[in-house]
Amino acid sequence: MLHSFQKKSKKGAETPKHEMDVVEARLKMATDDYKKRNQTKGK
């Protein structure tokens, strides 16, 4: 799991921009880490 939060608003389905920014940043970090770890295994 990269990120979770509890949505407080009952109206609207849009996820707050701040939460999406955090999710995107953590996904990028996880992707970069995965690539780095697998790159060293192949050598």
Side-chain angles (χ1 to χ4, degrees), residues 15-31:
T15 302
K17 181 173 178 356
H18 169 74
E19 297 295 340
M20 290 302 297
D21 292 343
V22 171
V23 170
E24 289 171 3
R26 290 186 178 169
L27 178 59
K28 182 178 181 339
M29 286 173 41
T31 302

